[in-house]
C-alpha cells in the first residue's frame, strides 16, 4: 500500500481536474453556439486545479522516486480529456495495493 500523502493528494485532485477540463470544453462550445458564457470562471477553476495537479505530481514524483517516464505519463493524462479519471483510477489501485507502485531503483 502506498503510504504517501503526496500520492493521495494527487489522486484526490485528479478527478476534479479531469471533470473541470470537460466542463471547460463544454462551456467553450456553449459560448460559440448559445448566449451562455461561463468560459472565464471555468477557465480559472480548471487552471487552479491543473496547477494543483502539477504541484502534487512533482511532489509525488520526488517522494515516490518514480521514473521520468511514469511522471510523464501522469502529466500526459492531465492534458488529455478524461485523462484525469484514468490517473485517479491508477493511483487508487496503488493505494489499495492492487497494483504495485513503480519506483525507480535506488543505487547506493
Amino acid at each position: 500500500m502506498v503510504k504517501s500523502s503526496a500520492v493521495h493528494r494527487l489522486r484526490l485532485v485528479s478527478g476534479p481536474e479531469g471533470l473541470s477540463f470537460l466542463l471547460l470544453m463544454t462551456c467553450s462550445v456553449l459560448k460559440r453556439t448559445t448566449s451562455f458564457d461561463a468560459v472565464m470562471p471555468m477557465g480559472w477553476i480548471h487552471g487552479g486545479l491543473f496547477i494543483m495537479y502539477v504541484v502534487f505530481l512533482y511532489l509525488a514524483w520526488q517522494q515516490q522516486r518514480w521514473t521520468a517516464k511514469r511522471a510523464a505519463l501522469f502529466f500526459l493524462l492531465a492534458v488529455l480529456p478524461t485523462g484525469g479519471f484514468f490517473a485517479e483510477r491508477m493511483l487508487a489501485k496503488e493505494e489499495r495495493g492492487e497494483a504495485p507502485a513503480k519506483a525507480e531503483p535506488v543505487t547506493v
Side-chain angles (χ1 to χ4, degrees), residues 14-96:
S14 295
E17 191 277 332
L19 179 62
S20 71
F21 190 19
L22 293 176
L23 289 174
L24 179 60
M25 290 190 310
T26 302
C27 288
S28 179
V29 170
L30 290 174
K31 178 181 178 179
R32 286 157 180 73
T33 58
T34 69
S35 61
F36 182 75
D37 183 9
V39 172
M40 179 84 69
M42 198 63 236
W44 278 97
I45 292 168
H46 173 67
L49 288 168
F50 181 77
I51 289 169
M52 288 172 54
Y53 182 93
V54 171
V55 168
F56 293 153
L57 172 59
Y58 176 77
L59 293 173
W61 179 19
Q62 296 301 308
Q63 192 175 48
Q64 295 299 112
R65 297 183 179 173
W66 286 339
T67 63
K69 183 177 176 181
R70 183 155 178 84
L73 169 67
F74 281 110
F75 183 79
L76 179 65
L77 289 173
V79 297
L80 293 175
T82 70
F85 302 118
F86 290 103
E88 193 279 331
R89 183 176 286 172
M90 291 169 60
L91 293 166
K93 282 184 179 183
E94 284 184 19
E95 281 191 324
R96 289 190 306 262

Side-chain angles (χ1 to χ4, degrees), residues 7-21:
V7 171
H8 185 70
R9 286 189 304 251
L10 178 62
R11 183 181 71 80
L12 290 179
V13 81
S14 295
E17 191 277 332
L19 179 62
S20 71
F21 190 19

